[in-house]
Amino acid sequence: MNGAANNSPDSARLVTPAMLLVWALLATLPLWISRLGLYPYIGIEILIWAIYALSFNLVLGTAGLPSFGHGAYFGIGAYAFGLCQFNIAPNLWVCLAAALLAAALAGAFVSLFISHRRGIYFAFMTIAFGQIFWTISIKAHSITGGEDGLLKIARLPADFGVVAFDLKNNVSFYYFVLAAFAVVVMLLWRLIHSPYGKVLSAIRQSETRASHLGYRVWLYKASIFTLSAGLSGFAGGLFAMAQLAAFPDVMSLHHSGYVVMMTLVGGGLVSFWGPFIGVIVFLVARDVIGAFTNAWMLWFGLLFMAIVLFKPEGIAGAWRSFVQERGGKVWKSVAGERLRLLFRSG
Amino acid sequence: MALLTAKGIHVRFGDRVVLEEVDFDVREGEFHGIMGPNGAGKTTFFNVLTGRVKPNRGSIELAGENVTGFPSHKIARKGVSRSFQIMTLFDEFSARENVLAALPEFRDSGFNPAKAVTAEKKWQDAALDVLAEVNLAEKADVKAKELSYGERRALEIAVATAQRPRILCLDEPTSGLGSDGVRRLSDLVQRLKGKLTIVAIEHDMSFLFSLADRISVIHWGQVIARGTPSELRENEWVRRSNLGKFA
Ligand SMILES: Nc1ncnc2c1ncn2[C@@H]1O[C@H](COP(=O)(O)OP(=O)(O)OP(=O)(O)O)[C@@H](O)[C@H]1O
Ligand SMILES: [Mg+2]
């Protein structure tokens, strides 16, 4: 449904050829990234944002729910990671679990208010809650460090009992995040192609029909929102490690907008890998165009507008239609329709 | 014995009263037709029966259990399925996926991410069987939105029967069908009759009068006439109204 064709054998696999290809490319990234004139650190950022954007797309692309305040959960994860490290236990696994759980808890709370809504009402409420969390992160100075952020967060070692890896060095941390990314990708792929994922995509198409088939629609919406928030928080925890700090900035509305832009530009409405592609394009554009002009966001914004207006299937969709047409087939994009449905409130 | 009983159903939207006081019952195994002029509130009554609209007054009993005000997913799980006057298929899903999503065994498979939909042969086969009953087996892998109008109507019914309901509610199933389509639908309903309890809203009088065991006429927010087709043919109102023109 989302991603490979419905009847493709890939949809029943745990690991697909596409995953192997992506992982292999990413595994060699530290060897060639500097030759492209990019900083190796961008690899870490790409992977963390990819986890975040793929999780976000569970809500946007799979369930068809326009969430525009997702930065809140990413940020909550980052703070939770730091606070856990300072106040509970300086253990990597405990703190990553704390990041995931804190964000999932916030997501579950919010989902109680929004899971009976859809369309533009859903969108507005996610923005409102996002702003509330962002404000708290700035005002709760004694806990979060306010606008200065929560500093001196350490990259805790990855202790597997028999062996422990020190993650202070960017290359080892990169491989740690790559492993996390691989696990998340497998998990999401299975989830989307399970009956649960199928029902989510049914709900995206018609809530009315789904409820008359016996599905408790609000519970599906609440659960996917919670899961998506939790995984976004997990990404946030990794981000706190990457930056050695947590800042309120990532929770702001414009940061929440970034993940929406990445997802749509990449083709998240029609493709599993869309958000990942979008993240790469966004971050590389930031570094490359950003080297020439401070107004790189203007250019990316224009690209975003062009895509929404003319190519809502995004880069992944454009690529797929190109490949199919060369094979003599017609690929009808459903992206425009899906984009429209996102804001239908009925 | 009545399988479904609705008593004194009253529905209003704002200050507009749509259903004044509807009493209605369906017997196990019967085909019960509902007719009435446009805007009489027939679809609204279906919405009440299937939990989409909560009645302002009145009660609904299903097999002796009071189900008034139950949400639609709960009513569906109790064995009431419906088709829609305005079709609401899962447009991006294939015909097979539309039916599959309606299968109770699929619905009850829960949240297990280890299960892959495409790898569950028994679901795929069960869905195909249901499609075969409405002559759609060959179109199983065609997206719902790419089916012809008549095929979409057939798929609507396939989805409703895939739920293996105790009561099947059909909202104007012949609407928009040509005479061929109506004939095929009659055959299908004839085959379902007896196996299932059916309630059908219908404007096509010859369809309804040839198939129904009983018919209720809804008008002015009430059931103004009820009986077997032959009883209704004698009914004053039915004779005078346009609806009686079949005779
Ligand atoms: N949710 C709603 N809110 C407000 N008014 C409604 C709502 N649903 C139905 N109505 C009104 O109730 C009246 C009855 O509508 P309903 O669809 O039940 O009629 P119907 O008998 O099915 O007609 P038709 O034969 O045209 O299908 C109409 O005037 C309609 O506008
Ligand atoms: Mg109607």
Side-chain angles (χ1 to χ4, degrees):
Chain A
M1 82 202 84
N2 217 7
N6 283 317
N7 304 322
S8 140
D10 282 353
S11 67
R13 292 194 169 117
L14 178 64
V15 175
T16 66
M19 286 182 206
L20 291 175
L21 184 71
V22 169
W23 296 340
L25 268 176
L26 289 170
T28 57
L29 179 133
L31 304 176
W32 47 261
I33 189 78
S34 1
R35 292 202 199 143
L36 298 183
L38 294 163
Y39 293 105
Y41 181 78
I42 198 176
I44 295 173
E45 277 187 296
I46 285 175
L47 288 175
I48 292 174
W49 279 85
I51 294 173
Y52 175 28
L54 285 166
S55 311
F56 167 72
N57 203 36
L58 285 177
V59 170
L60 189 85
T62 307
L65 300 168
S67 171
F68 294 149
H70 242 61
Y73 312 105
F74 186 77
I76 287 171
Y79 283 114
F81 184 88
L83 292 170
C84 171
Q85 180 177 117
F86 299 143
N87 304 312
I88 301 173
N91 174 295
L92 178 69
W93 312 116
V94 175
C95 291
L96 280 177
L100 194 147
L101 284 176
L105 206 65
F109 172 75
V110 170
S111 76
L112 294 180
F113 295 87
I114 61 177
S115 59
H116 290 278
R117 305 259 175 274
R118 71 166 306 120
I120 201 80
Y121 300 104
F122 187 96
F124 283 152
M125 291 186 71
T126 54
I127 292 176
F129 276 106
Q131 293 297 88
I132 291 171
F133 286 122
W134 173 65
T135 311
I136 293 173
S137 74
I138 291 176
K139 298 286 176 201
H141 202 280
S142 57
I143 304 168
T144 62
E147 301 201 36
D148 301 333
L150 195 61
L151 305 175
K152 298 198 181 118
I153 293 176
R155 284 190 197 167
L156 302 164
D159 188 348
F160 291 93
V162 275
V163 277
F165 296 96
D166 180 54
L167 303 179
K168 290 206 176 68
N169 158 321
N170 271 345
V171 173
S172 51
F173 184 56
Y174 173 81
Y175 283 106
F176 177 74
V177 180
L178 178 57
F181 171 78
V183 171
V184 169
V185 163
M186 287 191 284
L187 181 85
L188 296 187
W189 182 260
R190 288 289 8 110
L191 191 85
I192 285 171
H193 295 100
S194 73
Y196 174 64
K198 199 80 184 161
V199 176
L200 288 174
S201 123
I203 287 171
R204 180 188 73 225
Q205 297 169 66
S206 171
E207 285 195 11
T208 304
R209 167 65 83 181
S211 70
H212 283 288
L213 293 182
Y215 296 104
R216 200 179 303 189
V217 169
W218 76 266
L219 192 59
Y220 279 86
K221 286 160 73 175
S223 57
I224 198 62
F225 193 83
T226 302
L227 179 70
S228 169
L231 288 173
S232 300
F234 174 72
L238 293 172
F239 197 59
M241 283 173 85
Q243 293 205 310
L244 308 173
F247 299 106
D249 216 30
V250 292
M251 299 176 75
S252 66
L253 187 57
H254 78 270
H255 257 86
S256 292
Y258 288 166
V259 77
V260 178
M261 286 163 105
M262 291 169 171
T263 302
L264 289 179
V265 165
L269 287 181
V270 296
S271 157
F272 177 83
W273 293 104
F276 174 65
I277 296 168
V279 165
I280 296 175
V281 171
F282 185 97
L283 292 177
V284 171
R286 180 197 65 187
D287 284 9
V288 173
I289 309 178
F292 298 105
T293 160
N294 278 333
W296 78 275
M297 215 28 234
L298 173 72
W299 298 103
F300 196 84
L302 287 173
L303 172 67
F304 175 68
M305 272 165 55
I307 284 197
V308 167
L309 290 175
F310 306 115
K311 280 250 169 256
E313 63 271 35
I315 296 168
W319 170 250
R320 200 184 300 167
S321 74
F322 172 75
V323 171
Q324 299 250 324
E325 270 158 28
R326 281 190 42 163
K329 280 187 245 158
V330 192
W331 184 71
K332 282 199 211 122
S333 170
V334 289
E337 179 65 10
R338 287 186 182 174
L339 196 63
R340 196 182 61 76
L341 283 184
L342 271 182
F343 296 101
R344 179 192 58 177
S345 305
Chain B
M1 228 258 331
L3 180 54
L4 181 86
T5 316
K7 282 204 195 98
I9 299 297
H10 177 88
V11 173
R12 55 172 185 273
F13 297 110
D15 53 9
R16 173 156 166 46
V17 175
V18 174
L19 296 177
E20 186 60 57
E21 179 147 344
V22 173
D23 294 306
F24 184 82
D25 72 283
V26 195
R27 297 174 195 146
E28 183 100 53
E30 92 170 315
F31 182 121
H32 197 132
I34 294 178
M35 54 192 241
N38 288 111
K42 306 180 295 295
T43 297
T44 303
F45 182 61
F46 260 25
N47 286 343
V48 172
L49 289 186
T50 56
R52 190 159 170 66
V53 164
K54 294 199 193 341
N56 300 87
R57 277 202 307 276
S59 68
I60 301 166
E61 259 185 31
L62 179 64
E65 183 188 4
N66 184 351
V67 297
T68 320
F70 276 27
S72 40
H73 69 88
K74 232 169 157 179
I75 300 263
R77 281 166 183 260
K78 295 212 172 280
V80 181
S81 76
R82 71 177 289 180
S83 74
F84 291 82
Q85 183 175 0
I86 299 167
M87 286 184 278
T88 53
L89 294 163
F90 301 129
D91 277 340
E92 291 178 14
F93 281 0
S94 65
R96 189 205 295 258
E97 291 170 305
N98 266 279
V99 170
L100 190 142
L103 296 170
E105 61 267 37
F106 175 83
R107 187 181 64 202
D108 298 335
S109 66
F111 286 64
N112 181 357
K115 267 205 162 82
V117 177
T118 48
E120 297 291 322
K121 193 155 181 327
K122 53 186 193 308
W123 294 341
Q124 302 288 343
D125 291 348
L128 206 56
D129 289 346
V130 177
L131 285 174
E133 276 172 47
V134 299
N135 294 320
L136 274 182
E138 270 154 41
K139 303 283 173 119
D141 295 315
V142 178
K143 276 189 184 168
K145 74 166 163 219
E146 282 157 18
L147 294 171
S148 72
Y149 184 87
E151 289 163 348
R152 285 171 60 82
R153 277 271 161 227
L155 182 55
E156 272 274 331
I157 293 176
V159 170
T161 56
Q163 291 172 261
R164 295 197 202 94
R166 302 177 69 179
I167 304 182
L168 176 63
C169 300
L170 303 173
D171 195 346
E172 303 204 14
T174 71
S175 136
L177 292 181
S179 52
D180 244 23
V182 174
R183 203 168 329 112
R184 251 175 287 157
L185 184 68
S186 292
D187 292 345
L188 172 64
V189 172
Q190 194 75 51
R191 268 180 281 139
L192 294 174
K193 234 185 101 166
K195 282 188 252 172
L196 273 177
T197 307
I198 303 174
V199 188
I201 298 174
E202 207 23 269
H203 279 301
D204 184 327
M205 290 303 118
S206 54
F207 177 85
L208 206 53
F209 277 69
S210 65
L211 287 165
D213 299 308
R214 285 193 298 162
I215 296 171
S216 295
V217 181
I218 295 185
H219 200 2
W220 301 301
Q222 285 167 328
V223 176
I224 57 158
R226 170 174 300 143
T228 63
S230 51
E231 281 166 354
L232 273 194
R233 283 194 175 92
E234 302 306 315
N235 179 279
E236 180 83 14
W237 184 87
V238 175
R239 289 173 82 87
R240 264 193 292 129
S241 73
N242 281 337
L243 295 169
K245 273 198 180 140
F246 71 92

